[in-house]
Amino acid sequence: MNHYKYIVILFAFLCSFNYSIAYPQNNQIKDKINQLKKIKLIDILRLDENNVDKFFARYGEQERKVEEIRLQLKNSINQLEQAIHNNAAEKEIQQLVQNIHIKDIALVNATIEKQKALKSLLDDQQYAKLIVFEHQFMTKLQKALIDKKKKKNYE
């Protein structure tokens, strides 16, 4: 029964995702991904009504911190790419690479802090499931989208 529910949710999400791809609006796509993520987290962690609000309030707060660092990292990578394209001096490239390394470390630390901040709201089993989910969610989503696209191309 649980797999059936996931399939229905994923199907509905993918149908709406196709519309978003045809008419790209990053915030709209991001919102749909976040909705799917929230539904899956509630189900996987078996959060009851009392804990859902607390969990997602803290989750959202921590996720914003991670996203801010991810955006800084993306900007630093864009700067490095531009410097390479412009044949920048070795020293400038080295500084930009060092900056990216610092942002990579900050991203890992923010991710760990996010997980630790949520630990107090979860039992050990739920916490373990959260860590596995966080590491696999985007990969599974990308795979599902690729599989759907392949299936559509074969029809």
Side-chain angles (χ1 to χ4, degrees):
M1 181 66 182
N2 263 347
H3 293 296
Y4 180 73
K5 187 169 40 169
Y6 285 134
I7 291 169
V8 170
I9 292 170
L10 186 58
F11 179 76
F13 171 74
L14 291 176
C15 288
S16 64
F17 194 76
N18 278 342
Y19 176 81
S20 296
I21 290 171
Y23 305 96
Q25 296 172 342
N26 274 342
N27 288 336
Q28 190 178 31
I29 293 170
K30 198 177 231 183
D31 288 344
K32 288 180 182 182
I33 291 171
N34 287 335
Q35 288 172 358
L36 178 64
K37 195 173 194 181
K38 185 175 181 178
I39 290 167
K40 291 198 58 84
L41 276 170
I42 290 169
D43 189 50
I44 289 169
L45 300 178
R46 303 233 184 269
L47 295 173
D48 60 26
E49 291 179 25
N50 298 331
N51 292 331
V52 168
D53 291 336
K54 274 195 266 184
F55 177 83
F56 284 107
R58 194 171 301 172
Y59 185 91
E61 175 186 327
Q62 295 298 320
E63 187 67 19
R64 282 186 289 281
K65 292 177 185 178
V66 170
E67 282 301 314
E68 176 60 32
I69 295 169
R70 195 172 280 133
L71 180 61
Q72 292 172 9
L73 177 60
K74 181 181 174 185
N75 290 338
S76 294
I77 291 169
N78 289 341
Q79 287 175 349
L80 177 60
E81 186 177 34
Q82 190 63 44
I84 293 167
H85 180 72
N86 293 338
N87 293 317
E90 288 292 317
K91 186 163 181 88
E92 181 182 353
I93 289 176
Q94 289 172 357
Q95 288 173 337
L96 291 168
V97 167
Q98 181 63 30
N99 189 31
I100 289 171
H101 290 166
I102 291 168
K103 299 253 185 334
D104 276 333
I105 292 168
L107 182 60
V108 169
N109 287 337
T111 301
I112 292 169
E113 286 304 312
K114 176 177 120 178
Q115 292 171 351
K116 286 180 179 179
L118 296 167
K119 184 169 179 23
S120 65
L121 300 174
L122 305 170
D123 63 32
D124 290 340
Q125 189 77 14
Q126 288 172 313
Y127 185 64
K129 288 177 181 180
L130 171 68
I131 290 173
V132 170
F133 175 83
E134 288 284 314
H135 284 279
Q136 295 179 346
F137 177 73
M138 287 307 289
T139 303
K140 286 183 177 182
L141 178 61
Q142 288 170 347
K143 184 181 181 318
L145 292 171
I146 289 169
D147 290 347
K148 184 177 187 288
K149 185 174 182 178
K150 283 181 184 176
K151 184 178 177 182
K152 184 179 177 184
N153 287 341
Y154 287 124
E155 293 175 349

